[in-house]
Amino acid sequence: MKTMIHIHEENLEFHLTNGKISYIFRVMEDTGVLEQLYTGKALRPQPSYNHLLEREVRPSNNLLEGSLLTSLEHVKQEMPVYGTTDFREPGVSIRYEDGDTISHFAYHSHYTMKGKPRLSGMPHTFCNEEEGETLVVELRDRYSKLSLLLSYSILKDHPVLIRHSEIQNLGEEEVTIERLMS
């Protein structure tokens, strides 16, 4: 089977394509936030996807001091959170023991696998090694010991992308998951 997950390791760009659709996202420099660049009809793999970046200078409300290009409210984030210059509804919301609700999930690592594993305890799709591939991206919260796993599966013969989200608590602090979107 021809590979359907193309990864540019040097600039952390991910392109999932099966000849029917493409889904492209990247890790934003300096912030570690996952930014969606494209979803739609199939595109050929490219050496870079910088031409898909949408940036405007924002004189206020930037995540990083001295940067005019890190206003996350204008970025198509893979998993937006509350408290990082984005005022839209978050994709994940965590309440910590002290009542705090600020998180910042940033890129930590990634890996791929053949097929799509089964999930326990919930309805789901799955496929064997010949039918699809899965990319798992791990994000780590900068303020707690939480890990957020985002799994992206693409099937060889169908124009669909399947995404699954999972939070792992790597510490001892109890947290309440108020929202977790797939």
Side-chain angles (χ1 to χ4, degrees):
M1 177 173 68
K2 188 169 87 171
T3 187
M4 295 183 286
I5 300 174
H6 306 272
I7 302 171
H8 297 146
E9 295 289 346
E10 65 280 354
N11 50 0
L12 293 173
E13 294 175 332
F14 305 93
H15 180 185
L16 289 81
T17 185
N18 60 6
K20 297 166 183 42
I21 62 167
S22 281
Y23 192 81
I24 303 170
F25 64 100
R26 69 187 278 270
V27 177
M28 288 180 66
E29 59 284 337
D30 301 325
T31 67
V33 170
L34 296 184
E35 172 183 23
Q36 195 237 23
L37 298 177
Y38 177 83
T39 183
K41 71 178 193 172
L43 302 177
R44 285 190 214 109
Q46 301 290 317
S48 171
Y49 298 103
N50 282 340
H51 64 284
L52 297 173
L53 288 174
E54 297 176 13
R55 290 287 182 274
E56 288 183 39
V57 171
R58 304 286 179 181
S60 62
N61 197 35
N62 284 280
L63 185 62
L64 301 175
E65 186 176 346
S67 171
L68 299 178
L69 298 173
T70 57
S71 176
L72 296 182
E73 70 179 318
H74 303 286
V75 171
K76 295 179 283 190
Q77 298 173 68
E78 287 293 299
M79 188 56 80
V81 296
Y82 174 76
T84 57
T85 73
D86 188 352
F87 302 106
R88 297 171 289 189
E89 287 291 320
V92 61
S93 179
I94 309 290
R95 182 167 304 280
Y96 300 94
E97 283 182 322
D98 64 1
D100 188 9
T101 58
I102 303 295
S103 299
H104 183 97
F105 286 96
Y107 174 83
H108 178 72
S109 64
H110 67 272
Y111 63 91
T112 62
M113 67 178 83
K114 298 291 185 188
K116 180 185 179 301
R118 294 176 184 264
L119 304 173
S120 63
M122 60 186 354
H124 63 279
T125 58
F126 57 91
C127 68
N128 64 35
E129 293 183 3
E130 292 80 36
E131 297 172 319
E133 296 178 12
T134 298
L135 166 69
V136 178
V137 179
E138 181 183 6
L139 307 176
R140 294 259 176 107
D141 186 16
R142 290 187 176 165
Y143 308 120
S144 71
K145 295 198 181 287
L146 295 181
S147 173
L148 175 59
L149 299 174
L150 300 177
S151 298
Y152 301 82
S153 298
I154 189 161
L155 305 179
K156 180 177 76 169
D157 296 325
H158 302 284
V160 296
L161 181 78
I162 305 154
R163 192 169 108 166
H164 167 75
S165 304
E166 178 181 332
I167 291 189
Q168 296 177 341
N169 189 344
L170 306 174
E172 300 296 320
E173 179 183 12
E174 282 191 32
V175 298
T176 301
I177 300 172
E178 295 183 334
R179 171 186 279 188
L180 179 60
M181 308 300 282
S182 62

